Amino acid sequence: MRTPAWTEDELVLAGALVVKNGWRELRTGDPEVHELSELLRSLPIHSAEALALPGFRSPDSVSRKTTDFATNHPQYGGAATRCGKPTRLMIDALISREAEMLQAAQAIEEGIGSGELHSIPPQTEEVDETGATAIEGRLLVRRALARERDPKLRKLKIEQMRRRGRPLGCEVCDFNFAHAYGELGEGYIEVHHVTPLHVSGPRETKLDDLACLCANCHRMCHRSRPGTTWRTPASLRDLVRKSTQSALHPVAPTSAS
């Protein structure tokens, strides 16, 4: 068995360590490298076969990964080590969204330390159709999906919408299950955290933190793309509007001279 490639959960943790070290690599003997090695080996995403491999996420391998991050930074003056696209994407994310990515790393560390992320079973759709999770990490997507599927939370959100006299429709595309499916769709909607849990922090979820979405828009809010995991209902609504306008007013092709 070959050593598994670094996952996004692992990359965000290693990248955060490099950022905190001023975008400098860390040596094998550094205590923080040993701590990260132990943390990576404790993540509930590795098989027993992987953990049994000699040197799997050892301090040496962690140190080499910090070198990849440091030497592939755009402002590094020396020769860059060879690294894969996922590492380069993580570098870009840490540069453009440093505060958010450091929050994501902290959320993973806290979730592992508390045992929460060990107790959440794998969720459908935590990995996209390409087989790759997004850079914030599979474990954070797993936690978000698990909480959004809490039937008590969904019930309370539906009750809030009805008290406010608002139709139980998608807040992005206005799709209404009852209108489309009659009695079968009555009272059905999905809920979505407007702000990712690693950004909002481990606080109690408030009903106003949730949005009502149809199944399609819910998946699009979570769909992984290079460099990002999630988008808010407002940003997705803007994408729908732009796509609709583009379809209604296509750009005419220019004729060759």
Side-chain angles (χ1 to χ4, degrees), residues 117-213:
L117 292 178
H118 284 281
S119 65
I120 302 173
Q123 302 288 307
T124 57
E125 299 179 7
E126 72 180 43
V127 179
D128 70 12
E129 64 270 19
T130 67
T133 58
I135 56 178
E136 283 83 353
R138 177 192 312 175
L139 294 175
L140 298 183
V141 175
R142 179 181 298 182
R143 183 174 69 175
L145 288 169
R147 292 194 183 182
E148 289 173 356
R149 287 167 179 154
D150 181 349
K152 294 182 293 185
L153 202 61
R154 178 177 161 274
K155 180 181 178 181
L156 290 172
K157 181 63 178 180
I158 290 174
E159 290 176 352
Q160 181 198 56
M161 296 289 284
R162 286 173 170 164
R163 285 196 306 271
R164 293 177 174 177
R166 296 174 60 181
L168 199 60
C170 178
E171 295 182 37
V172 171
C173 70
D174 296 324
F175 181 84
N176 186 298
F177 283 90
H179 292 169
Y181 301 106
E183 184 179 350
L184 177 64
E186 187 66 40
Y188 184 80
I189 201 72
E190 298 184 8
V191 299
H192 173 72
H193 283 88
V194 175
T195 303
L197 296 173
H198 72 268
V199 174
S200 63
R203 60 186 175 87
E204 182 179 354
T205 298
K206 299 179 181 178
L207 294 181
D208 286 338
D209 295 332
L210 302 171
C212 291
L213 300 179

